[in-house]
Amino acid sequence: MSAPYDGVVLTCPVTVPYVRFSNETAHWWVARALRGTLDAAGLTPRQIDGLSVSSFTLFPDTPVGLTQHLGLTLRYLDSIPMGGASGVVAARRAARAVQAGDAEIVACVAGDANRIDSFRNLLNAFSRFSLDASYPYGFGGPNATFALIMDAYMAEYGATREDFGRIAVAQRANALRNPHAMMKKPLSLDDYLNARPISEPVSLFDCVMPCAGSEAFLVMSEDRARQLGLPFARLTGSIEAHNAFPDDPVQLRGGWAAEIDKLYAQAGCAPQDIDLLQTYDDYPVISMMQIEDLGFCAKGGAAEFVRSHDLTIDGDFPHNTSGGQLSVGQAGAAGGYLGIVEALRQVTGQAGPTQVPDARLAMVSGFGMVNYDRGVCSAVGILEGAS
Amino acid sequence: MTLPYPKKKDPQKRTKVPTLPPGERSRAALGLAIAAARGRFALQSCAACGAVQYPPRDACRSCLSVEMSWHDTPAYGKLLAETRIHASPDPYFRERLPWRMGSVQLEAGPVIMAHLVGVSRGDRVTVELRLDRAGQGVMIARPMKRTEDMEDDPVLRAIGTHPKHRRILISDATQPVARPLIDALFAAGAAHVFAGVPELWRRPHGLSAIEGLENVSVMPLDVTDTQSLKEAASEIGGKVDILINTARHIRPGGVLGQDTTAARDEMEVNALGLMRLAQAFGPGMAGRTADGVNSSAALVTILSAHALSPDPGYGAFNASQAAARSIVQTLRAEFAPSGLRVAAVYTGPTEDEWHQPLPPPKVAPKALARAIVDGLDRGLEEVYCGDVARDLAERWAADPALLDREMMGGGA
């Protein structure tokens, strides 16, 4: 079992409100999130020595270019190209760097631009296997890929569209309390069921809306956070898994399932101890898989689970309390930070209108990168608010 | 499903500008197009451990060997999941929504994504590799048994070159292949045949076999005469959906022992004739590849398999065939942006006066006609008709230098 992340904390969660389309660049969005998290800490750019960046739209730059562009002098620089798994992976690697003394303060940031046609351009160059073996078949993008997964999942486990709808509807209810959510209109189960098909069985409210935005947080020693007087959370456990279960013909489980027992052992807790769950919700079927693979119910039991639980902020199983990507929007790689930044706000009591009362222990799960027929990267972290 | 004959076009409406499906591929994935062009189902496998791979790649997913090669593979599998796509950011598919696709677990191992034709989740399916409009190899999952009207399916119609409802120009209908070709095209559902005849005024041999046939228009056309092509194109250029070049001039003999008169005529008809035809009809056809049910689809030409490696007994003729093959390759590149397919039908010695003293096997006109229409049915780009052509192509693919030596009479 890997060692605990003793003496290291996460702090200063920041979300730069998303917009549907923006002419600003990824550099602009990253700078704003970085400035936001440093302002929250009362630090200047010169006082950080580590940076971890996730972004799809920096081209022709990489995070190396950002150091000069943003005037940062660093001794730790990381680039996490893992889409929806980026937030948790950035946090766990930064935590190790700080723990080992390779850096003192690491700013973790994700952000992406979204100009008209950005999304199509991003898809066009997403991966070699997609170009060779997925896009030539109708070019449905991720919608079609996840339609196949959803179709197979429904056939295997008997889940219905109503079950997926419950997740989307509960998240919309949460989003209506989040002033930064892109979706402002209430969503009923009928609205979900009657929405236009996108790639059957995926319909409109199974999909996220691409937008521009950014997210950030800081990783530093607990001592430093106390000196600065910052509310913080400990990372009590984390795992990542890539290309797990490669021989499953269709992805009906993610890499979470491969490592989950190690995670709970490292964190010293069990599913029933978790106060709130942030899953990666690019599609509700993936949230269902996470509910199963993270141990909240048996494999194939998520449909029944969502029927018998209330997934809203005030419910018995608070899930994607910000509204998730389904209702907040997907700002590229920042979508991989949405869950961890919201979880950090929750366990440090800073979530405001979406606050779950007495939230102490949050689980955040990430999932990313449809290289061909499935998401390749998965990661999970457990955050514990300091008391 | 039976595809109805399209209504007459409204001449005031703009002809739909052709768009193409995504055509960008890795170098490894070009192997799919190579197999599809020949109507084969081939996948990469590892020379070291035998693992079958998909998507195509540069190193084995089982043992990391970089020795990957393409082999014909059993094309059966089970449809694992399916979807009907209603939204796509790609202009080609947007015009053709909804579009069905799914994933298939092949019995050979890999899971593939495929266009779906008449199959649904749980079915055992046959998978075919076909060329799409971008000229790339794509997977088609279809029922185990081909059905008669399978090619009417919108997916196959969109990527294919089937003669059904199409209007076809045969460049030289006095050739022995013309009559059986006309019969085979009508049997496949072709709407009309324009039968080109060189020097029509002098009633050449072969004219009587095609005169008076229903839905056949005999017209003067000479591939060595630019003016004649211009006139034909101005008359029917907007209606030619498939062009089949049957024009051929052949005289036995090598390079020595005769002047260049026969060779010049062979070049004029066989190589430059193809070029002139493409120049006269190509641009019009290229503009009509998205023009509904009877859109333009293909330009087909007949080549001697000795275009690959010459038989010295027909040296001058084979030089014209090698030139024509080279022109075919350039035309493929030039027509690629329009999606117009350029197909070559390779044949061995044909059953005619110019191959009279040769021993069998020789290709009968009927067999050649069948091969042409079968190639159109299946959207092929490279067709090998008869045992001699198939044998030559295989030896050429295996080792072209060795084949050249053998053609010179070595290696007994």
Side-chain angles (χ1 to χ4, degrees), chain A residues 120 123-124 128-129 131-141 143-145 147-149 151-152 155 196-201 246-250 372-374, chain B residues 22 24-26 28-29 54-58 61 80-91 93 99 101-103 105 111-115 121 137-139:
Chain A
R120 200 173 67 92
L123 286 185
N124 277 339
R128 181 171 140 177
F129 282 2
L131 288 175
D132 284 348
S134 164
Y135 295 164
Y137 303 94
F139 206 109
N143 293 328
T145 308
L148 295 179
I149 289 174
D151 181 56
R196 68 184 167 94
I198 300 296
S199 184
E200 296 169 48
D247 296 322
D248 286 3
V250 180
Y372 168 45
D373 62 341
R374 64 193 66 198
Chain B
E24 196 185 323
R25 295 293 189 280
S26 69
Y54 191 84
R57 62 194 71 197
D58 305 332
R61 70 186 288 270
L80 296 174
E82 59 179 304
T83 182
R84 190 188 310 271
I85 297 170
H86 295 267
S88 169
D90 180 77
F93 287 115
W99 191 272
M101 57 87 69
S103 60
Q105 167 100 62
V111 174
I112 58 144
M113 291 191 194
H115 301 299
R121 181 175 5 88
V138 292
M139 303 278 183

Side-chain angles (χ1 to χ4, degrees), chain B residues 103 107 112 134 198 260 287 325 393:
Chain B
S103 60
E107 288 164 18
I112 58 144
T260 56
R325 177 171 181 270

Side-chain angles (χ1 to χ4, degrees), chain A residues 192-263:
Chain A
Y192 172 90
L193 291 171
N194 296 326
R196 68 184 167 94
I198 300 296
S199 184
E200 296 169 48
V202 166
S203 60
L204 185 65
F205 296 114
D206 291 302
C207 304
V208 299
M209 181 184 277
C211 55
S214 54
E215 308 260 352
F217 57 89
L218 298 177
V219 179
M220 61 179 70
S221 70
E222 188 172 329
D223 290 346
R224 177 66 70 95
R226 286 190 192 281
Q227 280 167 19
L228 294 168
L230 302 172
F232 59 80
R234 297 184 185 93
L235 181 63
T236 63
S238 78
I239 52 170
E240 62 183 88
H242 308 289
N243 197 28
F245 312 120
D247 296 322
D248 286 3
V250 180
Q251 185 168 43
L252 297 179
R253 55 181 171 169
W256 317 287
E259 300 280 319
I260 190 66
D261 294 342
K262 291 178 196 138
L263 175 73

Side-chain angles (χ1 to χ4, degrees), chain A residues 269-336:
Chain A
C269 67
Q272 60 270 21
D273 301 326
I274 303 293
D275 295 318
L276 60 102
L277 173 65
Q278 310 286 347
T279 64
Y280 189 78
D281 59 330
D282 50 352
Y283 297 85
V285 63
I286 300 302
S287 291
M288 277 213 198
M289 268 183 220
Q290 286 160 88
I291 289 169
E292 295 163 357
D293 295 347
L294 299 172
F296 294 98
C297 66
K299 192 69 207 170
E304 178 51 39
F305 186 91
V306 301
R307 282 175 217 147
S308 56
H309 287 80
D310 179 348
L311 308 185
T312 60
I313 292 165
D314 300 323
D316 59 340
F317 190 77
H319 172 249
N320 290 355
T321 47
S322 65
Q325 297 183 86
L326 288 171
S327 282
V328 176
Q330 180 180 63

Side-chain angles (χ1 to χ4, degrees), chain A residues 1-337:
Chain A
M1 189 175 67
S2 74
Y5 305 90
D6 285 343
V8 183
V9 301
L10 277 60
T11 182
C12 301
V14 164
T15 298
V16 180
Y18 298 178
V19 295
R20 175 73 173 106
F21 290 110
S22 157
N23 221 21
E24 304 299 349
T25 63
H27 305 64
W28 188 92
W29 287 101
V30 165
R32 284 200 57 199
L34 197 53
R35 177 67 190 267
T37 191
L38 291 176
D39 283 352
L43 295 170
T44 66
R46 301 225 166 227
Q47 289 173 282
I48 61 166
D49 59 354
L51 179 68
S52 178
V53 182
S54 297
S55 177
F56 293 113
T57 50
L58 282 171
F59 186 84
D61 281 348
T62 67
V64 175
L66 277 184
T67 62
Q68 280 198 312
H69 196 118
L70 304 178
L72 302 172
T73 301
L74 306 170
R75 53 194 193 114
Y76 171 93
L77 176 62
D78 205 357
S79 174
I80 311 284
M82 296 180 195
S86 296
V88 173
V89 172
R92 72 193 298 264
R93 294 185 186 183
R96 283 288 182 237
V98 170
Q99 188 181 25
D102 291 347
E104 284 184 19
I105 301 176
V106 179
C108 297
V109 57
D112 267 302
N114 192 44
R115 297 179 180 176
I116 307 279
D117 220 28
S118 282
F119 186 67
R120 200 173 67 92
N121 290 332
L122 174 64
L123 286 185
N124 277 339
F126 201 75
S127 74
R128 181 171 140 177
F129 282 2
S130 294
L131 288 175
D132 284 348
S134 164
Y135 295 164
Y137 303 94
F139 206 109
N143 293 328
T145 308
F146 286 95
L148 295 179
I149 289 174
M150 187 170 164
D151 181 56
Y153 183 93
M154 290 168 81
E156 181 73 21
Y157 298 122
T160 64
R161 287 195 61 227
E162 282 85 348
D163 299 324
F164 301 106
R166 284 187 176 88
I167 291 176
V169 167
Q171 286 189 204
R172 182 60 60 87
N174 293 347
L176 295 179
R177 293 164 63 165
N178 174 4
H180 297 329
M182 299 280 295
M183 303 298 175
K184 305 287 189 198
K185 278 200 326 205
L187 179 73
S188 71
L189 193 55
D190 277 347
D191 294 336
Y192 172 90
L193 291 171
N194 296 326
R196 68 184 167 94
I198 300 296
S199 184
E200 296 169 48
V202 166
S203 60
L204 185 65
F205 296 114
D206 291 302
C207 304
V208 299
M209 181 184 277
C211 55
S214 54
E215 308 260 352
F217 57 89
L218 298 177
V219 179
M220 61 179 70
S221 70
E222 188 172 329
D223 290 346
R224 177 66 70 95
R226 286 190 192 281
Q227 280 167 19
L228 294 168
L230 302 172
F232 59 80
R234 297 184 185 93
L235 181 63
T236 63
S238 78
I239 52 170
E240 62 183 88
H242 308 289
N243 197 28
F245 312 120
D247 296 322
D248 286 3
V250 180
Q251 185 168 43
L252 297 179
R253 55 181 171 169
W256 317 287
E259 300 280 319
I260 190 66
D261 294 342
K262 291 178 196 138
L263 175 73
Y264 284 117
Q266 186 186 23
C269 67
Q272 60 270 21
D273 301 326
I274 303 293
D275 295 318
L276 60 102
L277 173 65
Q278 310 286 347
T279 64
Y280 189 78
D281 59 330
D282 50 352
Y283 297 85
V285 63
I286 300 302
S287 291
M288 277 213 198
M289 268 183 220
Q290 286 160 88
I291 289 169
E292 295 163 357
D293 295 347
L294 299 172
F296 294 98
C297 66
K299 192 69 207 170
E304 178 51 39
F305 186 91
V306 301
R307 282 175 217 147
S308 56
H309 287 80
D310 179 348
L311 308 185
T312 60
I313 292 165
D314 300 323
D316 59 340
F317 190 77
H319 172 249
N320 290 355
T321 47
S322 65
Q325 297 183 86
L326 288 171
S327 282
V328 176
Q330 180 180 63
Y337 267 57

